[in-house]
Amino acid sequence: LEQVEELAAAIDAEQGDPYPGKELFLARCAACHKLFQDGGAIGPDLTYYQREDTENLALAILRPSAEIREGFENTLIRTKDGRAINGFLAEQNNQSVALRGVDGATTVVPRDHIAQLQVLGRSLMPSGLLDDLDHQAIRDLFAYLRSVQPLNN
């Protein structure tokens, strides 16, 4: 919590520039997350989330497993033939369970082939995404993340 508060204070201490922040987002976040029209569909689409709260945004980035959005829980299936399948629970019913992997592909496993189904309680998003950035770069990234509309390039 102290680290989150320190980061939030550094972010709010000076103005960031959303244009270089967008480039950082595209390089570090867009493989998994979408913001406005840019990005992937592995993690949550950030466009409609409350992004103006600096502390909550900092916590989500610094400690991705602190709060995992519904539908993005990391789930592990161990099959009776020894395979391990990891991903997000895409769908389940009485006959099968479907997991969406980080590659975007969905794997359907019949329930009678499942030895273990476990929600792991940790995010697939890695920690340390901001570790090599200076305060200005972090302010720029957050300026873009808190943008209320797409940037005109």
Side-chain angles (χ1 to χ4, degrees):
L1 208 53
E2 186 176 313
Q3 188 181 15
V4 170
E5 290 172 357
E6 287 175 14
L7 181 62
I11 291 166
D12 291 336
E14 294 181 38
Q15 192 74 13
D17 183 343
Y19 289 94
K22 180 178 180 180
E23 296 306 314
L24 284 167
F25 173 83
L26 293 173
R28 292 175 181 253
C29 312
C32 297
H33 293 282
K34 185 174 190 172
L35 181 56
F36 306 118
Q37 70 276 5
D38 298 314
I42 294 169
D45 181 341
L46 303 177
T47 306
Y48 303 104
Y49 288 128
Q50 183 180 357
R51 292 175 280 110
E52 57 277 344
D53 184 335
T54 304
E55 284 193 15
N56 280 332
L57 200 53
L59 176 63
I61 295 170
L62 290 173
R63 300 285 178 255
S65 295
E67 180 182 316
I68 301 171
R69 301 250 181 218
E70 184 177 339
F72 295 95
E73 299 91 354
N74 189 6
T75 302
L76 173 68
I77 292 178
R78 293 196 188 276
T79 63
K80 291 178 180 175
D81 64 1
R83 293 182 300 144
I85 304 164
N86 198 30
F88 305 117
L89 186 63
E91 189 177 328
Q92 66 177 324
N93 56 42
N94 291 336
Q95 288 77 38
S96 63
V97 176
L99 292 185
R100 187 179 72 248
V102 294
D103 60 358
T106 300
T107 303
V108 179
V109 182
R111 284 217 182 251
D112 61 354
H113 291 131
I114 296 174
Q116 180 184 26
L117 176 67
Q118 179 182 9
V119 177
L120 298 176
R122 64 179 184 267
S123 176
L124 289 176
M125 182 173 154
S127 297
L129 292 173
L130 304 178
D131 289 353
D132 63 333
L133 298 178
D134 63 25
H135 282 171
Q136 187 57 50
I138 293 171
R139 281 191 284 273
D140 294 345
L141 176 61
F142 274 71
Y144 178 65
L145 289 173
R146 295 186 295 189
S147 298
V148 295
Q149 62 188 15
L151 300 179
N152 294 326
N153 293 341

